[in-house]
Each structure stands twice: as C-alpha cells, then as structure tokens.
Amino acid sequence: MVPMSINLLRECVIMMDLNQITAESPLSERGKKILNAAQVLFLKHGYKDTSLEMIINESGGSRRSIYSEFGNKQGLLIAVIREHIANQVGTLQSINYHVSPEQALKETAIQFLTGMLHETLIALFRLVIHIVPELPKIGKLIYQYGPLSGSDPIKHYLIHLDKEKLLDIDDADFAAKLFIEMIKGRLHIKAILVPNETISSQEICEHVEKSVALFLKMYKREDNY
C-alpha cells in the first residue's frame, strides 16, 4: 500500500473539519448551553485566553460533554462559526421569484448585509482573523464554507433570469459570487475597521440600491433596453 502523502493527509484533516462545519446534528440542551457560553467567552477574552474550565464554569457542563459533542476547544469554535454561517447562508435562500429582479435582489441583499453587519458576527470575524495565523485551517474552512459557498440560491435565481431573458448571464456561479461581494463591499470593511461608527439602515439601503443597480446594468440584455 502506498503511504499517504503529507499534503493529502492535511487535506483529509481539513475535509474532516469541513464536515464539522456543514454537519447539522442537533445539539443537546446542555450542548446549547456550552455553545452559548463558549461564544460569550471567546468574544470577551479571545480564543487563546478562554479555557475549557472557564466554559465549564459558565455553562455548568463538563469536559465529557464538551468532548462528546464538540471534540475540543477548537471544535467549539467551529460550532460557533457553523451556527452563524448557517444563519447567513439562510438569508440568501429567501429570494422572491414573484417580484421584479430589482426588488428581489434588493430585499435579499438588505437582509443579508444587515446580518453580516450584526455586532456579534463582526466581533466573531475579528476573532477569527486574529487566530488564523495560528490556526490557518479555520480560515480555510470559513473561506470554503462561508457566504460565497452559500451562493447557490443566488446562482439558481440568476440562471432563472437568464432563461426568462431578463438578464444575460453566461457564468451564473461567478455572477452570484460577484453579487455577494458587491453587497458586502465597503460597509463590511468599515464595520470591521471602524467599530465606533454605527452603520445606519439608510446607509445599508443606499449601498444596496447602488450595488443592485450596477449589477443589473452589467448583466442587462440589450434587447430589453
């Protein structure tokens, strides 16, 4: 038998952790308490300075509970990330096929961007950026299974618009990812780098309106104008 290469072994480990993120196994009530306590402590003290003992004291759980439901402290962090990623990806699935493309994309984008700018998600993003140099596979997992990988609902909607001859889209996957990045854009960066300035609902709406208008202009069908 040919021995597994180091690179292949690393990829297998990454895929195992990706399965942790994408898994939807329900948590026990104790598991939920542990997860909530871990999130609070991670965001308050940082990942490195949060110990399992602190999480146990806060949640009333035990090491056995943590090991059985999350594996270890890193598994707890992955579970926290998984929960927020699932919520954000869920907002992209609510696109309305029964209204105009402009309205459908605006409604979905506002809901998505509002969630991305929530203070808890921004704090978690800063936390992850801080620990990625020490735990690079966490960053790779989020990149692989973040909002960009959850762009399939937008892709399918854009394919629908192309078939209905409402837009001219030759690569719906690329267009969907581009749309998400346009929506996140400068406001997400601003929320991360300028924590003392609140981004208003009006600012979100104006950003989305301009982004959607530009996106539709890029993919317009000449015979519709």
Tab-separated table of all heavy atoms in Angstrom, residues 131-182:
chain	number	residue	atom	x	y	z
A	131	ILE	N	-6.911	34.721	15.004
A	131	ILE	CA	-6.355	33.394	15.292
A	131	ILE	C	-5.929	32.620	14.044
A	131	ILE	O	-5.266	31.597	14.161
A	131	ILE	CB	-7.362	32.527	16.086
A	131	ILE	CG1	-8.589	32.201	15.233
A	131	ILE	CG2	-7.755	33.207	17.379
A	131	ILE	CD1	-9.514	31.212	15.885
A	132	VAL	N	-6.285	33.113	12.861
A	132	VAL	CA	-5.960	32.383	11.628
A	132	VAL	C	-4.461	32.115	11.467
A	132	VAL	O	-4.082	31.021	11.028
A	132	VAL	CB	-6.530	33.110	10.393
A	132	VAL	CG1	-5.824	32.694	9.113
A	132	VAL	CG2	-8.023	32.807	10.265
A	133	PRO	N	-3.555	33.067	11.815
A	133	PRO	CA	-2.131	32.747	11.682
A	133	PRO	C	-1.718	31.509	12.482
A	133	PRO	O	-0.822	30.765	12.067
A	133	PRO	CB	-1.444	34.011	12.218
A	133	PRO	CG	-2.413	35.105	11.918
A	133	PRO	CD	-3.757	34.485	12.178
A	134	GLU	N	-2.354	31.267	13.636
A	134	GLU	CA	-2.020	30.097	14.447
A	134	GLU	C	-2.849	28.871	14.055
A	134	GLU	O	-2.406	27.744	14.217
A	134	GLU	CB	-2.232	30.406	15.933
A	134	GLU	CG	-1.266	31.444	16.492
A	134	GLU	CD	-1.452	31.639	17.990
A	134	GLU	OE1	-2.095	30.781	18.629
A	134	GLU	OE2	-0.966	32.653	18.513
A	135	LEU	N	-4.075	29.107	13.572
A	135	LEU	CA	-4.954	28.012	13.160
A	135	LEU	C	-5.418	28.267	11.726
A	135	LEU	O	-6.588	28.568	11.482
A	135	LEU	CB	-6.160	27.906	14.104
A	135	LEU	CG	-5.866	27.571	15.563
A	135	LEU	CD1	-7.129	27.698	16.407
A	135	LEU	CD2	-5.295	26.158	15.680
A	136	PRO	N	-4.503	28.144	10.748
A	136	PRO	CA	-4.841	28.514	9.367
A	136	PRO	C	-5.990	27.710	8.770
A	136	PRO	O	-6.704	28.202	7.905
A	136	PRO	CB	-3.531	28.269	8.603
A	136	PRO	CG	-2.737	27.356	9.478
A	136	PRO	CD	-3.104	27.696	10.874
A	137	LYS	N	-6.193	26.478	9.258
A	137	LYS	CA	-7.271	25.688	8.653
A	137	LYS	C	-8.644	26.244	9.009
A	137	LYS	O	-9.601	26.042	8.267
A	137	LYS	CB	-7.173	24.224	9.052
A	137	LYS	CG	-7.360	23.914	10.516
A	137	LYS	CD	-7.194	22.413	10.731
A	137	LYS	CE	-7.294	22.037	12.194
A	137	LYS	NZ	-7.108	20.587	12.398
A	138	ILE	N	-8.743	26.979	10.128
A	138	ILE	CA	-10.009	27.627	10.463
A	138	ILE	C	-10.360	28.644	9.378
A	138	ILE	O	-11.496	28.724	8.909
A	138	ILE	CB	-9.937	28.326	11.828
A	138	ILE	CG1	-9.774	27.299	12.954
A	138	ILE	CG2	-11.175	29.183	12.065
A	138	ILE	CD1	-10.994	26.440	13.187
A	139	GLY	N	-9.363	29.432	8.970
A	139	GLY	CA	-9.582	30.405	7.912
A	139	GLY	C	-9.963	29.729	6.607
A	139	GLY	O	-10.862	30.189	5.897
A	140	LYS	N	-9.306	28.627	6.288
A	140	LYS	CA	-9.608	27.916	5.039
A	140	LYS	C	-11.020	27.351	5.078
A	140	LYS	O	-11.744	27.382	4.077
A	140	LYS	CB	-8.599	26.793	4.817
A	140	LYS	CG	-8.775	26.098	3.470
A	140	LYS	CD	-7.595	25.211	3.134
A	140	LYS	CE	-7.757	24.628	1.733
A	140	LYS	NZ	-6.585	23.823	1.331
A	141	LEU	N	-11.422	26.849	6.230
A	141	LEU	CA	-12.769	26.291	6.358
A	141	LEU	C	-13.831	27.361	6.153
A	141	LEU	O	-14.820	27.147	5.448
A	141	LEU	CB	-12.945	25.654	7.742
A	141	LEU	CG	-12.148	24.378	7.992
A	141	LEU	CD1	-12.247	23.982	9.452
A	141	LEU	CD2	-12.631	23.255	7.107
A	142	ILE	N	-13.629	28.537	6.760
A	142	ILE	CA	-14.606	29.606	6.615
A	142	ILE	C	-14.642	30.089	5.171
A	142	ILE	O	-15.704	30.367	4.623
A	142	ILE	CB	-14.280	30.767	7.568
A	142	ILE	CG1	-14.416	30.286	9.013
A	142	ILE	CG2	-15.203	31.952	7.332
A	142	ILE	CD1	-13.933	31.280	10.025
A	143	TYR	N	-13.466	30.172	4.542
A	143	TYR	CA	-13.408	30.594	3.144
A	143	TYR	C	-14.158	29.604	2.255
A	143	TYR	O	-14.881	29.996	1.333
A	143	TYR	CB	-11.956	30.717	2.688
A	143	TYR	CG	-11.814	31.168	1.254
A	143	TYR	CD1	-11.992	32.516	0.920
A	143	TYR	CD2	-11.522	30.264	0.244
A	143	TYR	CE1	-11.877	32.940	-0.392
A	143	TYR	CE2	-11.408	30.681	-1.072
A	143	TYR	CZ	-11.582	32.020	-1.382
A	143	TYR	OH	-11.481	32.430	-2.692
A	144	GLN	N	-14.003	28.304	2.541
A	144	GLN	CA	-14.648	27.280	1.734
A	144	GLN	C	-16.141	27.198	1.978
A	144	GLN	O	-16.919	26.885	1.081
A	144	GLN	CB	-14.027	25.903	2.026
A	144	GLN	CG	-12.630	25.728	1.466
A	144	GLN	CD	-12.035	24.375	1.817
A	144	GLN	OE1	-12.384	23.784	2.827
A	144	GLN	NE2	-11.138	23.888	0.985
A	145	TYR	N	-16.549	27.470	3.228
A	145	TYR	CA	-17.953	27.297	3.551
A	145	TYR	C	-18.590	28.573	4.112
A	145	TYR	O	-19.496	28.532	4.914
A	145	TYR	CB	-18.128	26.139	4.552
A	145	TYR	CG	-19.581	25.722	4.695
A	145	TYR	CD1	-20.247	25.112	3.644
A	145	TYR	CD2	-20.264	25.952	5.871
A	145	TYR	CE1	-21.577	24.748	3.770
A	145	TYR	CE2	-21.599	25.594	6.013
A	145	TYR	CZ	-22.239	24.988	4.956
A	145	TYR	OH	-23.552	24.640	5.077
A	146	GLY	N	-18.088	29.708	3.659
A	146	GLY	CA	-18.683	30.975	4.055
A	146	GLY	C	-19.790	31.383	3.099
A	146	GLY	O	-20.282	30.569	2.320
A	147	PRO	N	-20.196	32.653	3.146
A	147	PRO	CA	-21.280	33.112	2.283
A	147	PRO	C	-21.051	32.861	0.798
A	147	PRO	O	-21.997	32.634	0.057
A	147	PRO	CB	-21.334	34.619	2.585
A	147	PRO	CG	-20.840	34.718	3.979
A	147	PRO	CD	-19.765	33.674	4.099
A	148	LEU	N	-19.773	32.888	0.365
A	148	LEU	CA	-19.524	32.645	-1.055
A	148	LEU	C	-19.936	31.241	-1.471
A	148	LEU	O	-20.478	31.038	-2.556
A	148	LEU	CB	-18.036	32.876	-1.385
A	148	LEU	CG	-17.592	34.334	-1.423
A	148	LEU	CD1	-16.126	34.419	-1.810
A	148	LEU	CD2	-18.428	35.139	-2.409
A	149	SER	N	-19.699	30.252	-0.606
A	149	SER	CA	-20.087	28.887	-0.949
A	149	SER	C	-21.590	28.694	-0.795
A	149	SER	O	-22.149	27.727	-1.305
A	149	SER	CB	-19.340	27.880	-0.065
A	149	SER	OG	-19.810	27.951	1.254
A	150	GLY	N	-22.237	29.613	-0.083
A	150	GLY	CA	-23.681	29.535	0.061
A	150	GLY	C	-24.413	30.332	-0.996
A	150	GLY	O	-25.600	30.664	-0.834
A	151	SER	N	-23.720	30.648	-2.080
A	151	SER	CA	-24.294	31.499	-3.123
A	151	SER	C	-25.177	30.748	-4.109
A	151	SER	O	-25.709	31.362	-5.036
A	151	SER	CB	-23.173	32.212	-3.893
A	151	SER	OG	-22.352	31.259	-4.562
A	152	ASP	N	-25.360	29.449	-3.918
A	152	ASP	CA	-26.149	28.661	-4.869
A	152	ASP	C	-27.563	29.202	-5.084
A	152	ASP	O	-28.044	29.220	-6.227
A	152	ASP	CB	-26.213	27.193	-4.430
A	152	ASP	CG	-24.970	26.420	-4.849
A	152	ASP	OD1	-24.136	26.997	-5.570
A	152	ASP	OD2	-24.832	25.255	-4.448
A	153	PRO	N	-28.285	29.635	-4.016
A	153	PRO	CA	-29.626	30.179	-4.272
A	153	PRO	C	-29.615	31.382	-5.210
A	153	PRO	O	-30.505	31.525	-6.058
A	153	PRO	CB	-30.119	30.569	-2.877
A	153	PRO	CG	-29.355	29.692	-1.944
A	153	PRO	CD	-28.006	29.551	-2.572
A	154	ILE	N	-28.604	32.253	-5.079
A	154	ILE	CA	-28.482	33.400	-5.973
A	154	ILE	C	-28.142	32.913	-7.381
A	154	ILE	O	-28.691	33.407	-8.375
A	154	ILE	CB	-27.401	34.380	-5.478
A	154	ILE	CG1	-27.726	34.875	-4.069
A	154	ILE	CG2	-27.253	35.552	-6.437
A	154	ILE	CD1	-28.992	35.674	-3.972
A	155	LYS	N	-27.262	31.932	-7.468
A	155	LYS	CA	-26.886	31.380	-8.777
A	155	LYS	C	-28.115	30.819	-9.498
A	155	LYS	O	-28.333	31.091	-10.683
A	155	LYS	CB	-25.830	30.281	-8.606
A	155	LYS	CG	-25.417	29.626	-9.923
A	155	LYS	CD	-24.386	28.537	-9.710
A	155	LYS	CE	-25.011	27.298	-9.120
A	155	LYS	NZ	-24.040	26.175	-9.029
A	156	HIS	N	-28.908	30.034	-8.776
A	156	HIS	CA	-30.101	29.442	-9.404
A	156	HIS	C	-31.091	30.525	-9.821
A	156	HIS	O	-31.749	30.410	-10.875
A	156	HIS	CB	-30.755	28.461	-8.447
A	156	HIS	CG	-29.912	27.270	-8.136
A	156	HIS	ND1	-29.204	26.591	-9.103
A	156	HIS	CD2	-29.653	26.624	-6.957
A	156	HIS	CE1	-28.547	25.590	-8.547
A	156	HIS	NE2	-28.801	25.600	-7.248
A	157	TYR	N	-31.193	31.584	-9.033
A	157	TYR	CA	-32.085	32.681	-9.395
A	157	TYR	C	-31.583	33.379	-10.657
A	157	TYR	O	-32.378	33.716	-11.550
A	157	TYR	CB	-32.181	33.670	-8.235
A	157	TYR	CG	-33.038	34.877	-8.552
A	157	TYR	CD1	-34.410	34.741	-8.754
A	157	TYR	CD2	-32.471	36.146	-8.650
A	157	TYR	CE1	-35.207	35.843	-9.051
A	157	TYR	CE2	-33.250	37.248	-8.939
A	157	TYR	CZ	-34.618	37.089	-9.144
A	157	TYR	OH	-35.402	38.180	-9.444
A	158	LEU	N	-30.282	33.585	-10.749
A	158	LEU	CA	-29.722	34.238	-11.935
A	158	LEU	C	-29.866	33.370	-13.174
A	158	LEU	O	-30.091	33.882	-14.281
A	158	LEU	CB	-28.246	34.583	-11.688
A	158	LEU	CG	-27.979	35.607	-10.574
A	158	LEU	CD1	-26.485	35.824	-10.406
A	158	LEU	CD2	-28.697	36.918	-10.854
A	159	ILE	N	-29.741	32.057	-13.012
A	159	ILE	CA	-29.995	31.146	-14.135
A	159	ILE	C	-31.437	31.296	-14.610
A	159	ILE	O	-31.723	31.318	-15.818
A	159	ILE	CB	-29.701	29.689	-13.722
A	159	ILE	CG1	-28.196	29.491	-13.529
A	159	ILE	CG2	-30.237	28.702	-14.772
A	159	ILE	CD1	-27.830	28.137	-12.940
A	160	HIS	N	-32.351	31.416	-13.646
A	160	HIS	CA	-33.764	31.622	-13.968
A	160	HIS	C	-33.953	32.921	-14.758
A	160	HIS	O	-34.682	32.950	-15.766
A	160	HIS	CB	-34.576	31.670	-12.667
A	160	HIS	CG	-35.948	32.228	-12.812
A	160	HIS	ND1	-36.990	31.519	-13.373
A	160	HIS	CD2	-36.461	33.457	-12.470
A	160	HIS	CE1	-38.083	32.273	-13.377
A	160	HIS	NE2	-37.791	33.445	-12.834
A	161	LEU	N	-33.304	33.990	-14.317
A	161	LEU	CA	-33.437	35.274	-15.008
A	161	LEU	C	-32.866	35.199	-16.421
A	161	LEU	O	-33.396	35.823	-17.352
A	161	LEU	CB	-32.725	36.376	-14.216
A	161	LEU	CG	-33.305	36.721	-12.842
A	161	LEU	CD1	-32.503	37.848	-12.200
A	161	LEU	CD2	-34.778	37.099	-12.933
A	162	ASP	N	-31.801	34.443	-16.584
A	162	ASP	CA	-31.211	34.278	-17.914
A	162	ASP	C	-32.166	33.497	-18.828
A	162	ASP	O	-32.373	33.873	-19.992
A	162	ASP	CB	-29.867	33.560	-17.804
A	162	ASP	CG	-29.178	33.392	-19.150
A	162	ASP	OD1	-28.653	34.404	-19.663
A	162	ASP	OD2	-29.187	32.269	-19.687
A	163	LYS	N	-32.751	32.418	-18.305
A	163	LYS	CA	-33.681	31.616	-19.106
A	163	LYS	C	-34.924	32.413	-19.489
A	163	LYS	O	-35.486	32.228	-20.573
A	163	LYS	CB	-34.083	30.359	-18.329
A	163	LYS	CG	-32.975	29.321	-18.221
A	163	LYS	CD	-33.450	28.091	-17.462
A	163	LYS	CE	-32.360	27.026	-17.404
A	163	LYS	NZ	-32.789	25.839	-16.624
A	164	GLU	N	-35.350	33.303	-18.593
A	164	GLU	CA	-36.516	34.143	-18.866
A	164	GLU	C	-36.162	35.354	-19.729
A	164	GLU	O	-37.026	36.188	-20.015
A	164	GLU	CB	-37.125	34.620	-17.544
A	164	GLU	CG	-37.727	33.513	-16.691
A	164	GLU	CD	-38.937	32.871	-17.351
A	164	GLU	OE1	-39.778	33.621	-17.898
A	164	GLU	OE2	-39.024	31.620	-17.339
A	165	LYS	N	-34.877	35.420	-20.119
A	165	LYS	CA	-34.379	36.510	-20.961
A	165	LYS	C	-34.544	37.886	-20.311
A	165	LYS	O	-34.775	38.896	-20.979
A	165	LYS	CB	-35.056	36.484	-22.345
A	165	LYS	CG	-34.836	35.178	-23.107
A	165	LYS	CD	-35.347	35.262	-24.520
A	165	LYS	CE	-35.187	33.931	-25.250
A	165	LYS	NZ	-33.798	33.437	-25.249
A	166	LEU	N	-34.433	37.895	-18.979
A	166	LEU	CA	-34.472	39.155	-18.240
A	166	LEU	C	-33.073	39.719	-18.026
A	166	LEU	O	-32.894	40.928	-17.906
A	166	LEU	CB	-35.174	38.946	-16.895
A	166	LEU	CG	-36.653	38.546	-16.993
A	166	LEU	CD1	-37.194	38.188	-15.606
A	166	LEU	CD2	-37.474	39.671	-17.614
A	167	LEU	N	-32.082	38.837	-17.949
A	167	LEU	CA	-30.678	39.226	-17.870
A	167	LEU	C	-29.879	38.345	-18.819
A	167	LEU	O	-30.352	37.300	-19.273
A	167	LEU	CB	-30.139	39.075	-16.439
A	167	LEU	CG	-30.695	39.998	-15.347
A	167	LEU	CD1	-30.040	39.689	-14.014
A	167	LEU	CD2	-30.526	41.467	-15.699
A	168	ASP	N	-28.672	38.766	-19.096
A	168	ASP	CA	-27.781	37.997	-19.976
A	168	ASP	C	-26.572	37.558	-19.150
A	168	ASP	O	-25.635	38.328	-18.948
A	168	ASP	CB	-27.351	38.865	-21.159
A	168	ASP	CG	-26.531	38.088	-22.176
A	168	ASP	OD1	-26.455	36.846	-22.053
A	168	ASP	OD2	-25.957	38.713	-23.086
A	169	ILE	N	-26.627	36.320	-18.654
A	169	ILE	CA	-25.603	35.829	-17.727
A	169	ILE	C	-24.975	34.565	-18.283
A	169	ILE	O	-25.637	33.534	-18.419
A	169	ILE	CB	-26.215	35.564	-16.336
A	169	ILE	CG1	-26.803	36.854	-15.775
A	169	ILE	CG2	-25.169	34.987	-15.384
A	169	ILE	CD1	-27.535	36.691	-14.474
A	170	ASP	N	-23.699	34.636	-18.609
A	170	ASP	CA	-23.019	33.468	-19.182
A	170	ASP	C	-22.386	32.581	-18.116
A	170	ASP	O	-22.150	31.400	-18.352
A	170	ASP	CB	-21.959	33.910	-20.199
A	170	ASP	CG	-20.903	34.820	-19.576
A	170	ASP	OD1	-21.147	35.337	-18.461
A	170	ASP	OD2	-19.846	35.014	-20.199
A	171	ASP	N	-22.099	33.144	-16.940
A	171	ASP	CA	-21.497	32.370	-15.850
A	171	ASP	C	-22.219	32.746	-14.549
A	171	ASP	O	-21.832	33.683	-13.854
A	171	ASP	CB	-19.998	32.676	-15.747
A	171	ASP	CG	-19.270	31.790	-14.744
A	171	ASP	OD1	-19.950	31.201	-13.863
A	171	ASP	OD2	-18.037	31.698	-14.813
A	172	ALA	N	-23.276	32.007	-14.252
A	172	ALA	CA	-24.119	32.348	-13.101
A	172	ALA	C	-23.391	32.170	-11.777
A	172	ALA	O	-23.653	32.907	-10.819
A	172	ALA	CB	-25.386	31.495	-13.117
A	173	ASP	N	-22.490	31.208	-11.700
A	173	ASP	CA	-21.748	30.983	-10.456
A	173	ASP	C	-20.864	32.189	-10.141
A	173	ASP	O	-20.855	32.695	-9.010
A	173	ASP	CB	-20.905	29.716	-10.573
A	173	ASP	CG	-20.185	29.385	-9.282
A	173	ASP	OD1	-20.865	29.111	-8.278
A	173	ASP	OD2	-18.933	29.407	-9.261
A	174	PHE	N	-20.132	32.647	-11.151
A	174	PHE	CA	-19.282	33.830	-10.962
A	174	PHE	C	-20.130	35.051	-10.638
A	174	PHE	O	-19.795	35.844	-9.744
A	174	PHE	CB	-18.452	34.091	-12.228
A	174	PHE	CG	-17.617	35.336	-12.155
A	174	PHE	CD1	-16.378	35.331	-11.528
A	174	PHE	CD2	-18.073	36.537	-12.697
A	174	PHE	CE1	-15.610	36.484	-11.440
A	174	PHE	CE2	-17.316	37.696	-12.617
A	174	PHE	CZ	-16.085	37.667	-11.990
A	175	ALA	N	-21.237	35.221	-11.350
A	175	ALA	CA	-22.103	36.382	-11.141
A	175	ALA	C	-22.680	36.395	-9.733
A	175	ALA	O	-22.781	37.454	-9.099
A	175	ALA	CB	-23.233	36.389	-12.179
A	176	ALA	N	-23.066	35.228	-9.215
A	176	ALA	CA	-23.629	35.139	-7.868
A	176	ALA	C	-22.597	35.533	-6.815
A	176	ALA	O	-22.892	36.279	-5.870
A	176	ALA	CB	-24.140	33.730	-7.603
A	177	LYS	N	-21.374	35.044	-6.964
A	177	LYS	CA	-20.305	35.382	-6.015
A	177	LYS	C	-19.948	36.867	-6.115
A	177	LYS	O	-19.682	37.528	-5.099
A	177	LYS	CB	-19.085	34.502	-6.262
A	177	LYS	CG	-19.287	33.042	-5.876
A	177	LYS	CD	-18.044	32.218	-6.164
A	177	LYS	CE	-18.141	30.813	-5.547
A	177	LYS	NZ	-19.218	30.001	-6.082
A	178	LEU	N	-19.944	37.381	-7.339
A	178	LEU	CA	-19.674	38.801	-7.527
A	178	LEU	C	-20.746	39.646	-6.837
A	178	LEU	O	-20.436	40.647	-6.175
A	178	LEU	CB	-19.644	39.119	-9.025
A	178	LEU	CG	-19.480	40.592	-9.405
A	178	LEU	CD1	-18.126	41.124	-8.931
A	178	LEU	CD2	-19.629	40.788	-10.908
A	179	PHE	N	-21.994	39.244	-6.968
A	179	PHE	CA	-23.095	39.969	-6.349
A	179	PHE	C	-22.920	40.029	-4.829
A	179	PHE	O	-23.071	41.090	-4.215
A	179	PHE	CB	-24.422	39.286	-6.695
A	179	PHE	CG	-25.621	39.915	-6.041
A	179	PHE	CD1	-26.108	41.134	-6.480
A	179	PHE	CD2	-26.253	39.297	-4.975
A	179	PHE	CE1	-27.208	41.735	-5.874
A	179	PHE	CE2	-27.357	39.879	-4.358
A	179	PHE	CZ	-27.834	41.102	-4.811
A	180	ILE	N	-22.585	38.910	-4.228
A	180	ILE	CA	-22.405	38.869	-2.778
A	180	ILE	C	-21.267	39.784	-2.342
A	180	ILE	O	-21.379	40.508	-1.348
A	180	ILE	CB	-22.163	37.427	-2.311
A	180	ILE	CG1	-23.444	36.609	-2.483
A	180	ILE	CG2	-21.698	37.379	-0.856
A	180	ILE	CD1	-23.276	35.132	-2.231
A	181	GLU	N	-20.172	39.763	-3.083
A	181	GLU	CA	-19.045	40.619	-2.726
A	181	GLU	C	-19.389	42.096	-2.907
A	181	GLU	O	-18.959	42.947	-2.121
A	181	GLU	CB	-17.819	40.254	-3.566
A	181	GLU	CG	-17.152	38.968	-3.125
A	181	GLU	CD	-16.758	39.028	-1.652
A	181	GLU	OE1	-15.910	39.868	-1.290
A	181	GLU	OE2	-17.304	38.247	-0.857
A	182	MET	N	-20.171	42.421	-3.932
A	182	MET	CA	-20.602	43.807	-4.124
A	182	MET	C	-21.468	44.260	-2.955
A	182	MET	O	-21.362	45.402	-2.491
A	182	MET	CB	-21.380	43.931	-5.444
A	182	MET	CG	-20.533	43.812	-6.682
A	182	MET	SD	-21.535	43.854	-8.202
A	182	MET	CE	-22.149	45.549	-8.175
